[in-house]
């Protein structure tokens, strides 16, 4: 070797270039300790968590998003964002596997997986930026959920003659939702994720059936031509419907076999596509320009609309502890609150 480098040294220097792919042992013979926890999430349960958390109020705006795109372009955007969300989810999953391979402290229970990934990627500022961003996103989303639940409750109970202001309903809802946040990690409340997904599916099914039946009574349907403004608005609405990556590492960290998170992410995106695509296509092509920003408002009055409102209410209630769980775990760790159920968690 004229450069003074032995073959062994040259090969050793190239080890850092080897991709760390789950299921393939690295040349350094790093062994991933599979943290199989009692009651940890399986592949299907994790997929239900992901799809149940993401398939929320954003789906109600998809039919209206089709107006500015002429329909077909909007459907292509849904397909594009499905693939994008699935790819992003699998990359996040592989990032966590890389951390487990390289750092032993991440092979056990971890309550701040997303900030940990950010810190190891870019440094301390990455952890701080991710904690701030995730906290604002998820706690902000939790506040929106409280407002929506209060509005739905006020509407449903108000029809029975019991009237309260929105502010009072918000206080009542916040108090009632608080006990749901006392559960520790996703594996402790997996039935809630099942409820969130089932209620969304039932609500969307009823919306589609009602809109298709209402569409048969429209003599002339109008489908506006695509516009740049409408396309950009549709882009934002569809992107919002796929928001939820902030919770991905938290759910992966609670799996029995974290290396299978990629499968769960792809399954979840398949479920979302099966909900979003028919919802957008059937409602838009049935009602045309008569779709509204909230498709429930375009439904005719009757038991179907009331049932949909109840299903959406149940979804918001069950999804609330899912979206607020990641930042809650961050701050519990910062405050040294034990991971098991205790009074400190309830007080926090």
């Amino acid at each position: 070797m004229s450069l003074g480098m032995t073959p062994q040294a040259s090969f050793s220097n190239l080890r850092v270039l080897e991709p760390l792919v789950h299921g393939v042992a690295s040349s350094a013979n790093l062994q991933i300790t599979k943290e199989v926890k009692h009651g940890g999430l399986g592949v299907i349960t994790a997929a239900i968590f992901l799809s149940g958390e993401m398939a929320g109020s954003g789906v109600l705006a998809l039919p209206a998003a089709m107006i500015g795109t002429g329909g077909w372009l909007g459907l292509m955007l849904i397909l594009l964002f499905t693939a994008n969300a699935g790819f992003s989810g699998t990359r996040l999953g592989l990032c966590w596997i890389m951390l487990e391979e390289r750092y032993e402290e991440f092979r056990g229970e971890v309550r701040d997986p997303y900030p940990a990934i950010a810190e190891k990627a870019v440094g301390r500022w990455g952890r701080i930026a991710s904690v701030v961003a995730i906290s604002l996103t998820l706690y902000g989303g939790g506040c929106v959920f409280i407002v929506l639940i209060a509005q739905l409750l006020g509407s449903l109970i108000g029809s029975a003659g019991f009237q309260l202001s929105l502010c009072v309903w918000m206080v009542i809802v916040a108090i009632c939702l608080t006990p749901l946040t006392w559960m520790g990690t996703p594996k402790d409340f997996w039935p809630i994720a099942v409820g969130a997904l089932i209620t969304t599916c039932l609500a969307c099914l009823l919306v589609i059936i009602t809109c298709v039946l209402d569409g048969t009574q429209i003599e002339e349907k109008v489908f506006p031509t695509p516009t740049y403004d409408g396309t950009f608005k549709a882009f934002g609405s569809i992107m919002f419907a796929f928001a939820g990556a902030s919770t991905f590492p938290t759910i992966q960290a609670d799996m029995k076999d974290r290396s299978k998170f990629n499968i769960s992410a792809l399954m979840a995106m398949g479920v979302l596509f099966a909900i979003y695509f028919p919802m957008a296509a059937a409602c838009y092509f049935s009602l045309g320009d008569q779709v509204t920003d909230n498709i429930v408002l375009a439904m005719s009055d009757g038991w179907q609309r009331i049932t949909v409102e109840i299903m959406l209410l149940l979804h918001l209630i069950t999804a609330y502890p899912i979206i607020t769980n990641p930042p809650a775990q961050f701050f519990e760790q910062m405050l040294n609150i034990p991971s098991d159920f205790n009074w400190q968690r309830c007080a926090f």
Side-chain angles (χ1 to χ4, degrees):
M1 301 291 289
S2 59
L3 297 179
M5 182 184 296
T6 64
Q8 291 80 0
S10 176
F11 178 77
S12 178
N13 290 338
L14 290 176
R15 283 180 177 175
V16 295
L17 301 179
E18 291 185 358
L20 292 174
V21 181
H22 70 90
V24 180
S26 68
S27 60
N29 294 321
L30 292 172
Q31 298 295 323
I32 301 176
T33 303
K34 292 188 177 180
E35 184 73 13
V36 181
K37 306 176 222 175
H38 178 68
L41 301 177
V43 174
I44 296 178
T45 311
I48 292 174
F49 255 103
L50 296 174
S51 52
E53 179 262 335
M54 295 178 70
S57 56
V59 69
L60 303 178
L62 292 181
M66 300 298 104
I67 294 179
T69 64
W72 297 110
L73 178 57
L75 295 178
M76 291 175 61
L77 285 175
I78 292 177
L79 179 60
L80 173 64
F81 277 110
T82 301
N84 179 70
F87 178 78
S88 301
T90 57
R91 297 313 93 184
L92 276 174
L94 289 178
C95 284
W96 187 252
I97 296 302
M98 291 172 64
L99 256 66
E100 285 194 338
E101 287 180 336
R102 297 178 179 183
Y103 307 99
E104 290 186 6
E105 63 267 28
F106 297 119
R107 299 175 190 176
E109 181 182 23
V110 180
R111 292 198 278 181
D112 57 346
Y114 213 132
I117 293 174
E119 182 175 15
K120 295 302 181 182
V122 297
R124 182 67 179 175
W125 72 267
R127 166 179 285 274
I128 297 173
S130 65
V131 168
V132 171
I134 292 172
S135 298
L136 290 176
T137 300
L138 297 183
Y139 278 144
C143 293
V144 173
F145 275 32
I146 291 175
V147 175
L148 293 175
I149 293 171
Q151 289 177 338
L152 286 171
L153 274 177
S155 175
L156 291 171
I157 298 180
S159 61
F162 185 75
Q163 300 290 340
L164 286 176
S165 68
L166 178 61
C167 294
V168 175
W169 275 120
M170 288 172 60
V171 174
I172 295 173
V173 168
I175 294 174
C176 293
L177 288 177
T178 298
L180 294 179
T181 64
W182 292 345
M183 292 173 283
T185 60
K187 72 177 185 299
D188 298 322
F189 53 90
W190 64 265
I192 287 181
V194 177
L197 182 59
I198 291 177
T199 51
T200 301
C201 291
L202 290 177
C204 291
L205 181 62
L206 278 174
V207 169
I208 292 173
I209 294 174
T210 303
C211 288
V212 169
L213 293 177
D214 290 347
T216 59
Q217 301 175 9
I218 300 176
E219 296 181 359
E220 185 177 353
K221 301 172 186 176
V222 179
F223 300 101
T225 56
T227 63
Y228 288 110
D229 183 61
T231 301
F232 281 113
K233 288 181 178 179
F235 189 93
S237 296
I238 297 171
M239 179 181 287
F240 175 74
F242 283 94
S246 301
T247 63
F248 280 22
T250 300
I251 294 172
Q252 181 183 16
D254 237 25
M255 292 183 66
K256 293 178 181 178
D257 186 351
R258 297 168 179 173
S259 65
K260 294 183 179 179
F261 178 78
N262 289 355
I263 302 174
S264 299
L266 294 177
M267 290 174 62
M269 295 311 112
V271 171
L272 290 181
F273 183 77
I275 296 174
Y276 289 174
F277 196 88
M279 183 78 168
C283 295
Y284 175 71
F285 290 111
S286 296
L287 301 179
D289 63 348
Q290 294 188 27
V291 295
T292 57
D293 291 335
N294 182 347
I295 191 60
V296 176
L297 301 179
M299 296 174 63
S300 56
D301 293 331
W303 67 268
Q304 297 96 331
R305 180 169 174 172
I306 295 175
T307 304
V308 167
E309 290 181 344
I310 293 174
M311 291 295 103
L312 292 175
L313 175 64
L314 293 175
H315 166 79
L316 293 171
I317 293 173
T318 51
Y320 179 81
I322 299 177
I323 70 166
T324 57
N325 183 258
Q329 289 196 58
F330 301 164
F331 293 118
E332 284 179 10
Q333 179 165 300
M334 290 175 58
L335 298 173
N336 294 320
I337 297 176
S339 59
D340 58 338
F341 184 79
N342 56 81
W343 68 268
Q344 293 168 289
R345 175 185 294 165
C346 299
F348 169 73

